Amino acid sequence: MIPSYFFAHGAPSIVLEQNAYTAFIQEFAASITKPKAIVLFSAHWEQSMQTISAVDTYRTIYDFSGFQDELYQITYPANGERSLSEQILSLFAKHGIQSVLDEERGLDHGAWAVLKLIYPDADVPVVALSVNRYLTNEQQYQIGKALSELREQDVLIIGSGGTVHNLRKLNWQTEGIDEWAESFDNWLQNKLETWDVNALFNYRELAPYAEEAVPTNEHFIPLLLAMGTGDGNRQAKLLHRSYQFGNLSLSCWQFN
């Protein structure tokens, strides 16, 4: 059974960078069995109803501005997997989760920036899934849990977002780590490793510096989605954590 993973995707330019985190991601594929397909929740695809991509081949969405020209030349023409999209539709229905298929949308940078580093040849089929910031944290977890059986079919499930992701507080001049960001991530690490879902579902009230770390929740949601897929064994492992710009957390979590 393939574990599920959460990857922070940082800034879109991460796909061009050379640092400890990008080196980790580039080496990641060698650490797992090559999956038959990838199911990915991106923080940058928000829908009021759970939406499942069902395209033949993805176009690349450049959902950002002001970055280096080279970034806009990158493409990630992964294929979809219609049968898997329809299976996910059925799984959601089985668990009382309303969902629809989308046959148009391409891959946003929350998806392709990470996938380009893991599988640069775009040779693994992808099914992209949306997020909904207005659901409860427990509902997010349950959406992930509904997909857990896909892991037994050599499907790699990824949540792409960020744990500490506050663009207004970025410090472009420092190489240090802001104490508040590390404090939040340390709290989060403890609750994930002990699988304290009650604390995690109420992180806004319980975690230190939650408002600073998670000013809006769309980047945090993919962590709960990925975690939910591991509800059977409830084992979480931090594989990497580093920071950019003082407090932009670049982390990878594994859920077994």
Side-chain angles (χ1 to χ4, degrees):
M1 180 184 294
I2 297 182
S4 296
Y5 295 88
F6 168 81
F7 285 91
H9 60 247
S13 55
I14 194 169
V15 73
L16 300 175
E17 296 170 4
Q18 293 183 336
N19 53 45
Y21 186 54
T22 58
F24 163 79
I25 300 178
Q26 288 169 325
E27 295 167 2
F28 169 77
S31 71
I32 65 168
T33 302
K34 190 170 185 177
K36 292 180 179 177
I38 297 169
V39 170
L40 187 145
F41 291 93
S42 171
H44 292 278
W45 187 13
E46 294 192 61
Q47 294 289 311
S48 58
M49 181 182 292
Q50 181 62 59
T51 308
I52 307 159
S53 67
V55 303
D56 292 327
T57 302
Y58 289 96
R59 60 187 174 86
T60 305
I61 301 174
Y62 306 100
D63 51 336
F64 46 80
S65 60
F67 287 88
Q68 53 267 62
D69 291 343
E70 185 181 356
L71 203 56
Y72 301 89
Q73 308 307 313
I74 294 174
T75 60
Y76 198 80
N79 291 327
E81 184 66 75
R82 179 80 186 206
S83 61
L84 179 57
S85 298
E86 292 174 351
Q87 182 183 1
I88 292 170
L89 190 73
S90 296
L91 284 173
F92 282 147
K94 176 182 173 182
H95 289 85
I97 299 165
Q98 285 191 309
S99 62
V100 294
L101 298 179
D102 180 293
E103 299 178 344
E104 301 291 334
R105 193 177 189 275
L107 291 178
D108 58 64
H109 82 269
W112 65 256
V114 170
L115 294 176
K116 185 76 172 178
L117 290 169
I118 302 174
Y119 294 112
D121 296 329
D123 55 351
V124 180
V126 175
V127 173
L129 299 178
S130 67
V131 301
N132 180 357
R133 71 170 71 194
Y134 299 106
L135 301 179
T136 67
N137 293 323
E138 184 173 4
Q139 287 174 312
Q140 311 289 2
Y141 183 92
Q142 294 298 327
I143 288 171
K145 184 178 177 180
L147 301 182
S148 58
E149 68 183 66
L150 295 178
R151 297 168 51 207
E152 301 173 7
Q153 303 167 28
D154 293 331
V155 172
L156 172 62
I157 302 175
I158 293 175
S160 175
T163 56
V164 181
H165 191 94
N166 189 334
L167 302 184
R168 291 187 177 185
K169 286 190 173 293
L170 296 185
N171 185 340
W172 302 92
Q173 309 302 321
T174 185
E175 293 184 4
I177 304 170
D178 291 342
E179 184 177 345
W180 62 267
E182 196 166 28
S183 178
F184 177 83
D185 265 342
N186 286 339
W187 181 92
L188 186 62
Q189 179 176 353
N190 174 264
K191 302 309 176 187
L192 287 168
E193 289 177 344
T194 58
W195 214 273
D196 187 346
V197 290
N198 289 328
L200 288 165
F201 294 162
N202 295 285
Y203 75 91
R204 283 214 171 272
E205 293 75 34
L206 300 177
Y209 304 105
E211 288 297 324
E212 290 87 345
V214 190
T216 57
N217 68 341
E218 73 281 358
H219 278 79
F220 194 84
I221 290 167
L223 177 69
L224 296 172
L225 293 163
M227 184 187 187
T229 69
D231 183 76
N233 293 328
R234 297 194 164 200
Q235 295 178 346
K237 182 179 181 181
L238 180 63
L239 301 184
H240 179 95
R241 190 171 86 196
S242 55
Y243 295 86
Q244 287 182 315
F245 317 124
N247 54 64
L248 183 61
S249 181
L250 301 177
S251 59
C252 176
W253 279 92
Q254 174 181 295
F255 300 105
N256 286 356

